[in-house]
Amino acid sequence: MEDYMTNWNLSFDYAAIFFLLLIFIWYFNERKIPLRSHKAYLVLLITTFMSTFFEISATWMARYMDVVGYDSFYAVLTLQTLAINLVPITFTFYLLQLGHYDVLKHKAVHFFFRCCIAVNVIILTLNLKLRWAFTFEDGAYHVSYGCMVLYGIDVIMIGICIVTIIRSRVNFQFLRLGPLLFTLCFGIAAGVLQVLAYIPTVNLMVSAVCMTLFHYQQNAGTVTDMVTKQFNRRFMGEYLQNKFMENKTFGVIVVAMDDFKFINKTYGVENGDNLLYQVGYFLNELKVSKLVFRLGSDQFCLVIDKNLDQMSEIADQIRERFHHPWFTETQTPIMMSASLCFIECPSDAQSYDALIDVMDYSMSIAKKTKKGGITFARDLELSKIRQEKAIEKAVKLAMDRDELVVYYQPIFSVDKGVYNSAEALVRLHDSELGWISPEDFIPIAEKNGLIVEMGEIILEKVCKFIRDFKLSETTVEYIEINISPVQLVQLNFADRVKEILKKYDVRPQQINIEITETTTINSSVVVHDNINRLVDYGITLSLDDYGSGNANIDYINHMPFKLIKIDKYIIWDSFKNHKAGITLEYTIGMLNALELFIVAEGVENEEMKQRLAEVGCHYLQGWYYSKAVPEQEFIRLLNAQ
Ligand code: C2E
Ligand code: CA
Ligand code: CA
């Protein structure tokens, strides 16, 4: 089949020009996205535009060959062939950037791309003389063997694209991958159509791909936060991941508004949004080379380039601004404060994931220690984050291998003179970290949600212990189990507890659950529902660590507690401090009057035992009697009574 260029239907190319011009207008009208892929996209747009422009020019020149002359026509045709062959190369280059593969950093790959372009240029330049790639005779376009090399490069590029899409599919995200693949398939089909049937649809299809890419990937709307008009958090991830690949030093400043919930509550969400917009605007106006991102609801993040010495200067400017009021839409002046955290990369964090951990950690320290102050990550013990990660790993491993162990600490009944109960305390030993305290790993398990599964494992172990060691035949009436607030907010928590008890034939009276004050303070409907259902079922409830929080009498009055466990630090204090001794005595008197049973924790010696029994504690728990011990040892303790 021969290709008579004068007959080419240019409608596709005109449409392509229209689309491309439209995208150019969008591209230059919108805010720049500071990523290398955004620049690579522009190169792709320009190449496609050139390819289309030369195709239209060459076709018209073919029609008016007599006027323009063969040589100039042939030169334009060569340029068109070059441009259209560069499209797959620039596209592949762009796709690699999009998949977080920095071509410019990998020298061999960079060289390969240069070679591909050079081969195109050499073959087509020599073709002007040698005619080994294509010829144009009698109004028709003939392909020769040299063109096969160019097609070969195209096929390689398609291969690289496919591999990139498969390897980096996570980065492209499913939503964006679907439309991209769809248009891409059409692009390849158009290429085949153009080569085999001489229908010039390639440029149109590539511009359709560009349009899809603009819509999903390159338009600033997808990376901008609508409230503050600054870059959004998703984009921050993309930007910083690229930034770490560049191997340069840069600074990150987190600006976290203090008590912003209060502003929202008092002045309304609309005013709150407006104030956040103002803060974002102010940060963006700071005169340094930086980018501003909205990190979370009331947090911003500045990424500072080049000169890290500017950091303290910026800190001063930000702090100075917060010494003056901000204004609501109705011109009400509002004083706000913000905590700042300074992080230097890569010295404080070597990767994006590490940076996020450092950000979270420094913000939590900043909020705890000095609201409105400045925290430098380099002054913090960042090893704590690593330690936390190591513990998290150890917890997962122990759960997978069923290596969590439950120890039992006996609780002495003053009335009966025997151990009438015990507290179940979880123990974890890791081959690398050794024994890990529950005080360290429980909060981590709560943060990542593992506590729900862990709590069930512990409950099962306790029930199995009660059944296998026939605890009902000993002096121990029930076992106290610590329950985390995270477990109590699970909708099916009460049902799961009942199921496990039934599975091991354990009566509800043999179980007591301990919850802390903080659980009751933050209690939701679900928490109350779970508690009430368990109490109705027959399980008793203890308030743990009483006195360590803000001992709110209201909760004692309105929750179905049977036991109150007084925090060991309160007990210890009462022996050291006269006033603390008096408050404890009156607290015990009050709890007794309320007909609540009292457990004193942390009983460490004879003197403590005597006094606490005298002032009215019903149960005593502490190292004076025994530390928490393994099952067998606990049974030996009971037998030795
Ligand atoms: P907690 O519920 O207040 O548990 C009492 C803690 O005090 C235990 O520490 C216990 O070993 C310790 N203790 C008891 N008597 C004495 C004493 O006389 N002197 C001293 N110095 N310490 C004493 P442990 O086992 O390290 O547990 C720490 C915390 O970890 C517990 O505090 C509890 O909040 C949590 N925890 C332990 N096991 C579990 C569990 O199975 N589930 C949940 N959710 N939390 C648990
Ligand atoms: Ca406890
Ligand atoms: Ca306690």
Short mmCIF file of all heavy atoms in Angstrom, two decimals, residues 544-545 567 601, ligand 3:
data_model
loop_
_atom_site.label_atom_id
_atom_site.label_comp_id
_atom_site.label_asym_id
_atom_site.label_seq_id
_atom_site.Cartn_x
_atom_site.Cartn_y
_atom_site.Cartn_z
N ASP A 544 -9.04 1.81 87.33
CA ASP A 544 -7.60 1.64 87.56
C ASP A 544 -6.92 3.00 87.73
O ASP A 544 -7.42 4.02 87.24
CB ASP A 544 -6.99 0.91 86.35
CG ASP A 544 -5.66 0.28 86.68
OD1 ASP A 544 -5.22 0.37 87.84
OD2 ASP A 544 -5.05 -0.31 85.76
N ASP A 545 -5.79 2.99 88.40
CA ASP A 545 -4.95 4.19 88.54
C ASP A 545 -5.73 5.39 89.06
O ASP A 545 -5.50 6.53 88.63
CB ASP A 545 -4.30 4.57 87.19
CG ASP A 545 -3.45 3.45 86.64
OD1 ASP A 545 -3.04 2.59 87.43
OD2 ASP A 545 -3.22 3.43 85.42
N ASP A 567 -3.96 4.50 92.54
CA ASP A 567 -2.69 4.49 91.84
C ASP A 567 -1.51 4.36 92.80
O ASP A 567 -1.49 4.97 93.87
CB ASP A 567 -2.55 5.79 91.05
CG ASP A 567 -1.41 5.73 90.08
OD1 ASP A 567 -1.43 4.82 89.23
OD2 ASP A 567 -0.50 6.57 90.18
N GLU A 601 -2.56 -0.31 95.30
CA GLU A 601 -1.49 -0.86 94.46
C GLU A 601 -0.13 -0.46 95.04
O GLU A 601 -0.04 0.50 95.78
CB GLU A 601 -1.54 -0.23 93.07
CG GLU A 601 -2.60 -0.75 92.14
CD GLU A 601 -2.42 -0.12 90.76
OE1 GLU A 601 -1.78 0.94 90.63
OE2 GLU A 601 -2.96 -0.70 89.82
CA CA B 3 -2.77 0.59 88.14
#
